[in-house]
Amino acid sequence: MSNFAGSIFRGSLHEMLFPQLALHIPDGFLSLPVSLVTWGIAIALIATALDRVKGERQDQTVPLMGVCAAFIFAAQMINFPIPGGTSGHLLGGTLAGVLLGPWAGTLVMTVVFIVQAALFQDGGLTVLGANVFNMGLIGTFGGYYLYKVLRSSLGFNSWRGMSFGVTIASWTSVVIASVATAIQLALSGTVPLAVALTAMLGWHILIGIGEAIITLMATSYVWKVRPDLLYDPPQRSPLPRSLVQR
Amino acid sequence: MTDHPNQARNGAFVLVGLGAALAIAVFFSPFASSDPDGLDRVSQDLGFDNQAQTDTPAKKLPFYGIFEEYALRGVPEAVATPLAGLIGTLAAFGLAWGAGKLLVKGSSNKAVDPDFPDRHSH
C-alpha cells in the first residue's frame, strides 16, 4: 500500500489467486429461492421506476443519467483500503438518488450493475437481482428518503442540511446493504446469520465512511456549481437578502 | 430542445462530469487497493469463498472473449485495466443516456432561471 509498484504487482498476483468479488455477490452464494425473490423485488421496483421516470424533465434528466452512470461505474472500480487488510468501494445508490431522485437513480444503478455483470464478470448474472437491490435500490430508495428527511430536519436550503443528510444516508445505505447481503447468505444456507452479520457489519461500518466521503464530495460539488441539477434543488430567495429587507 | 437556454450549461456539466469519470477509470484504476473487499474478505474468513461458481454464465457471453474481469485481453498488462475502465465507463454512460432518451418524456414548461429552479413537473 505504501508504494504503487508493489501494489500493482501484488494486485495482479492477488487477482490470479482470488478474483475480486466486491460486495458484488458471485453466482453460487445464493440459493435459487433467494435469487428468485430478490429478482422479483428488483424487477418490481425497476418496473415502477420505468413508469415514473416518464414524468421527469427530459433536457436535464437524460444527460445527468449518463454522467451519473459513468461516474458511479468508474468510482466502483477504485477500491480504497480499509484498516485490517480489506478494501471497499463506492456503491453510489444514495448519490444517484440525491442527484436524480429514486426513479431515474434506480435506472442508472441498474445500468451500472448490468455493465459490470455482463461485460466484466463482476457480480453473478443469476444473482443480479440481489446485487441491484442490495447495492443500488437500498440507496436510491432508502438512502434517498432518509437523506430527504434528515435534510429537511436541519435546513432544506442550507448546505449544512444537505451535507448532514447525504453523509448519514450514504453511510447507512452501505450498512443496510451489508445486512441485506448477510440475511440473503444466511437464508441460502451459505453461512449462519449471526456469523455473517457480525463479519459483514464489522467491515461495512468502515467501508460506509468511504461511501459517505465520496458521496459528500460529489454532491457538494454539484451544490456549488449547479445546485439546480439536484433532484431537490435548494430554493433561493429571489433577491439578495439585503435588498429584500430594505 | 436545442433552443433551450440551459442547454449549453448542461453540455458543459456533461463534459466535466464525463471527463472526471473517464479520468478516474483510466488513471486511478491501476492504483485501486487489491485487498479483498468486504464480502470477498468475509467469504474467505468464513470459508465459503469456494462456493463461488467458476464456470459462470457471464463467461459464456461474447464479452468474456474481450474482457477478463476488469482487464482488456490482448493488450499489455499496464493498460489492460485502464482500457477496460475507459470502455466500461463509456458503455455505462451510453446505456444510461439511451435509456433516459427512450423513457423520459417530461418537458420544462417554463424558462429556467437558475435562481428559481423548477425541476419537478410532477
Side-chain angles (χ1 to χ4, degrees), chain A residues 12 14 19 22 27 54-56 58-60 66 74 79 84-87 116 120-122 226 229-231 238, chain B residues 4 9-10 21 33 35-39 41 53 56-57 64 67 69-70 77 93 104-106 116 119-122:
Chain A
S12 44
H14 180 95
D27 296 309
K54 282 178 198 156
E56 308 288 9
Q58 194 179 42
D59 60 332
Q60 194 158 293
N79 283 58
T86 299
S87 71
Q116 291 173 338
F120 302 105
Q121 306 102 45
D122 187 17
R226 288 293 303 273
L229 287 182
L230 291 172
Y231 191 68
Chain B
H4 200 287
R9 295 179 71 217
N10 285 348
S33 169
D35 288 334
D37 82 12
L39 177 59
R41 172 63 182 266
Q53 281 176 25
T56 62
Y64 186 58
F67 303 107
E69 298 192 347
Y70 291 99
E77 201 188 321
F93 178 80
V104 180
K105 299 291 177 206
F116 295 93
R119 184 88 202 276
H120 302 295
S121 48
H122 47 85

Side-chain angles (χ1 to χ4, degrees), chain A residues 23 25 30 34-40 42 113 124-138 177 180-181 184:
Chain A
L23 187 62
I25 302 170
L30 299 186
V34 172
S35 298
L36 289 176
V37 168
T38 46
W39 263 115
F113 293 118
L125 283 173
T126 61
V127 293
L128 185 57
N131 282 329
V132 167
F133 177 79
N134 296 342
M135 293 185 286
L137 309 189
I138 285 177
T181 308
Q184 290 155 13

Side-chain angles (χ1 to χ4, degrees), chain A residues 1 23 47 55 72 121 137 167 198 207 214 220 226-227:
Chain A
M1 256 176 288
L23 187 62
I72 291 170
Q121 306 102 45
L137 309 189
T167 305
T198 315
I207 292 171
I214 298 169
S220 295
R226 288 293 303 273

Side-chain angles (χ1 to χ4, degrees), chain A residues 94-107:
Chain A
T94 305
L95 175 60
V98 170
L99 294 178
L100 285 160
W103 315 115
T106 288
L107 299 183

Side-chain angles (χ1 to χ4, degrees), chain B residues 76-95:
Chain B
E77 201 188 321
V79 295
T81 295
L83 285 175
L86 178 82
I87 298 166
T89 301
L90 288 174
F93 178 80
L95 278 176

Side-chain angles (χ1 to χ4, degrees), chain A residues 46-113:
Chain A
I46 292 167
T48 312
L50 288 173
D51 182 56
R52 296 291 299 271
V53 82
K54 282 178 198 156
E56 308 288 9
R57 258 184 56 181
Q58 194 179 42
D59 60 332
Q60 194 158 293
T61 305
V62 174
L64 195 55
M65 281 175 76
V67 170
C68 204
F71 180 81
I72 291 170
F73 175 87
Q76 285 209 6
M77 285 187 74
I78 314 302
N79 283 58
F80 48 80
I82 296 293
T86 299
S87 71
H89 62 64
L90 180 78
L91 301 185
T94 305
L95 175 60
V98 170
L99 294 178
L100 285 160
W103 315 115
T106 288
L107 299 183
V108 159
M109 294 310 295
T110 305
V111 163
V112 169
F113 293 118

